[in-house]
Amino acid sequence: MSITASEPILFSDSAVSKVRDLIIEEGNPALQLRIYVSGGGCSGFQYGFAFEEAAGTEDLAMEKHGVRVLIDPVSLQYLNGAEVDFQDDLDGSRFVIKNPNAKSTCGCGSSFSTAESGGSNDSDPNGKGCASSAGVHP
C-alpha cells in the first residue's frame, strides 16, 4: 500500500531517506521500519522504532519510495494523523513525531500523554525534565 494524504500517518521524504540509508547500512533490503507506541517514558507513553523483516498479520503496512513502514493496531490508535520526520541540526539527528493526539509531550520529544491517558500538560519545552538519552535516535 502507498502512503497518500488519506493514510493514517505522514512519513516525510527526509525520514524515508534516513530509513533507506539505515537499511543499506544493515545490508538487508528486506528490513521494514516498525513505528510503535508503548507505555513508559516521562509522560506516560513513548515512541519506538525498530527494524523487522516480516509484518504481523494485523499490521498496517505502508510504503513510500520503496521504504515500508509497519504499525500495529494498538499503536495506530495513538499515531493516527501523526507526521514522522527526520531532523539533522545543531541539536543532533533524530526522528521527530508531530502527533495531534498528544495532549502533552516530554521535552525530549520521545514521550507523550493523551487526553484519555490523564497526563498533565506540564511539558518542559527546554527538555530539562528528560534524560538526554531519552530522545528517539536512529
Side-chain angles (χ1 to χ4, degrees), residues 41-43 106-108 122-132 134:
C42 9
S43 294
C106 185
C108 65
D122 58 359
S123 61
D124 179 354
N126 298 315
K128 294 181 180 170
C130 302
S132 61

Side-chain angles (χ1 to χ4, degrees), residues 19-41:
V19 171
R20 185 181 304 112
D21 290 348
L22 292 170
I23 290 171
I24 289 169
E25 278 181 32
E26 290 295 319
N28 183 353
L31 293 177
Q32 303 167 81
L33 180 68
R34 175 170 301 284
I35 303 173
Y36 61 92
V37 171
S38 61

Side-chain angles (χ1 to χ4, degrees), residues 5-129:
S6 64
E7 293 296 338
I9 69 163
L10 299 175
F11 203 62
S12 76
D13 289 342
S14 176
V16 168
S17 178
K18 182 60 179 180
V19 171
R20 185 181 304 112
D21 290 348
L22 292 170
I23 290 171
I24 289 169
E25 278 181 32
E26 290 295 319
N28 183 353
L31 293 177
Q32 303 167 81
L33 180 68
R34 175 170 301 284
I35 303 173
Y36 61 92
V37 171
S38 61
C42 9
S43 294
F45 295 104
Q46 59 189 357
Y47 301 112
F49 298 87
F51 282 121
E52 295 186 8
E53 290 185 9
T57 57
E58 295 185 12
D59 284 343
L60 172 68
M62 300 175 289
E63 187 171 325
K64 182 173 181 181
H65 304 302
V67 171
R68 288 183 50 92
V69 177
L70 307 173
I71 305 173
D72 66 89
V74 174
S75 296
L76 184 58
Q77 67 184 338
Y78 297 108
L79 292 169
N80 195 26
E83 297 178 35
V84 180
D85 191 19
F86 181 78
Q87 296 177 352
D88 190 4
D89 55 28
L90 293 175
D91 291 331
S93 57
R94 65 202 166 280
F95 286 99
V96 176
I97 297 180
K98 296 176 188 168
N99 189 345
N101 304 302
K103 176 183 173 193
S104 65
T105 60
C106 185
C108 65
S110 68
S111 180
F112 70 99
S113 67
T114 64
E116 292 79 28
S117 68
S120 66
N121 195 9
D122 58 359
S123 61
D124 179 354
N126 298 315
K128 294 181 180 170

